[in-house]
Amino acid sequence: MSAPEQRQRRYWDALAQTDPDAAIIDPNDRRGLKNAYLAGLRDRAFAQSLARHDVERGTVLDLGCGTASASHPLLRAGHRVLGLDISLQLLRHARNRCGDRDCLFAAVDGRHLPVAASVMDAAVVYVVLSYVTDDAAALALLEEVRATLKPGAPLIMIEQARARRALCEDGLKVHRSIREWTQLLRQAGFRLADTAILRHGRFPTTPLVAVGAIPRAAWPWLARCEAGVARLTGVFGWDYAEVRFEATA
Ligand SMILES: C[S@@+](CC[C@H](N)C(=O)[O-])C[C@H]1O[C@@H](n2cnc3c(N)ncnc32)[C@H](O)[C@@H]1O
């Protein structure tokens, strides 16, 4: 394992000491409401995209599954899940959360996926390749993901993007532009089906969600609002956005 992957493993293993939901989204979200809101938004996006691609009760690769926060709702929806992650400590939470029924969790070196070719019905990725700052490494990983997918199977990837590429979190993470993300997908041999901005990173209602000022019943409506605003504005120059890419192998 090379130095960048070792650094990632150390970083995520240390975060695994906190709450399993906080560890993989925002460790500073004291009440857990913001993390629950963002996880719900992610899960709805995955479910809608999988349905659009007619993936029902499929075998789904969750790359960078972390604590299985996204794998768990996929299992509940009847899919089988293979969750792969660089952090052994996060994977402990994944196993506790999901048990071993219809799922398998395994540690990877951050570059290679120990999966046979053309076996997966779909792959999901939530804010993982943003942590692979080297483009050649991110491309190689996407190529590995494509190889695991059956021909025509979808990759649903939600990553963070900025108008202009920027390194953040002390060089641990990169915000690529939407153009750079789509180029990587195409270079990896994917056919791009759809791209949508789901939300702006610092949308003004997010702090209100975090303090409990917006009831849970209103969250789906708020998520639709965020997506609507993002559709109109595109990525702001001063903020990152969460972007959902649908592509097929
Ligand atoms: C922001 S968390 C998201 C976790 C999960 N996808 C979710 O939706 O809850 C990023 C995850 O990517 C994992 N990760 C980072 N680099 C990786 C790599 N090269 N290969 C596999 N996993 C990686 C981290 O360990 C962490 O679990």
Side-chain angles (χ1 to χ4, degrees):
M1 195 185 253
S2 60
E5 283 86 25
Q6 282 174 10
R7 188 175 173 220
Q8 288 289 338
R9 181 170 281 176
R10 275 197 305 275
Y11 174 77
W12 292 104
D13 278 352
L15 277 175
Q17 309 311 316
T18 63
D19 169 86
D21 294 319
I24 40 83
I25 301 185
D26 181 355
N28 300 314
D29 178 32
R30 291 226 306 261
R31 299 179 69 174
L33 293 169
K34 173 185 162 189
N35 288 333
Y37 172 72
L38 294 179
L41 203 141
R42 171 203 63 201
D43 296 339
R44 270 192 303 279
F46 282 162
Q48 284 165 359
S49 294
L50 290 172
R52 253 197 302 278
H53 290 269
D54 298 322
V55 181
E56 279 175 36
R57 298 177 175 268
T59 304
V60 180
L61 169 66
D62 183 0
L63 175 67
C65 62
T67 60
S69 165
S71 306
H72 192 241
L74 292 171
L75 282 167
R76 278 204 315 252
H79 299 289
R80 289 173 300 279
V81 176
L82 172 62
L84 301 177
D85 202 279
I86 201 165
S87 162
L88 290 125
Q89 301 306 324
L90 289 181
L91 286 169
R92 280 183 210 280
H93 287 298
R95 206 154 296 127
N96 286 341
R97 202 197 284 266
C98 297
D100 54 10
R101 191 152 169 257
D102 288 335
C103 57
L104 180 68
F105 296 100
V108 289
D109 64 3
R111 291 206 171 220
H112 303 104
L113 306 184
V115 184
S118 308
V119 291
M120 291 289 155
D121 296 309
V124 297
V125 180
Y126 179 76
V127 193
V128 177
L129 293 166
S130 293
Y131 288 94
V132 181
T133 56
D134 176 58
D135 282 349
L139 174 60
L141 206 43
L142 276 174
E143 284 171 343
E144 295 260 324
V145 172
R146 188 180 53 76
T148 71
L149 289 169
K150 294 176 182 170
L155 161 68
I156 320 298
M157 180 174 95
I158 300 172
E159 290 290 349
Q160 296 180 346
R162 275 188 190 264
R164 280 205 211 124
R165 183 189 184 95
L167 272 181
C168 48
E169 293 183 18
D170 201 19
L172 209 67
K173 186 174 180 184
V174 64
H175 285 151
R176 298 182 171 92
S177 66
I178 292 182
R179 195 155 164 267
E180 287 174 314
W181 282 117
T182 54
Q183 261 170 6
L184 279 177
L185 285 166
R186 290 206 173 99
Q187 280 169 15
F190 283 100
R191 185 189 294 257
L192 208 67
D194 190 48
T195 301
I197 305 176
L198 299 181
R199 60 181 295 274
H200 294 293
R202 300 184 208 295
F203 203 68
T205 49
T206 310
L208 298 178
V209 169
V211 296
I214 300 183
R216 275 177 192 261
W219 288 2
W221 171 84
L222 179 60
R224 281 197 297 279
C225 239
E226 288 205 57
V229 171
R231 243 192 325 274
L232 289 176
T233 61
V235 181
F236 290 134
W238 62 87
D239 194 8
Y240 73 90
E242 289 200 347
V243 183
R244 192 258 298 129
F245 301 91
E246 276 180 22
T248 53

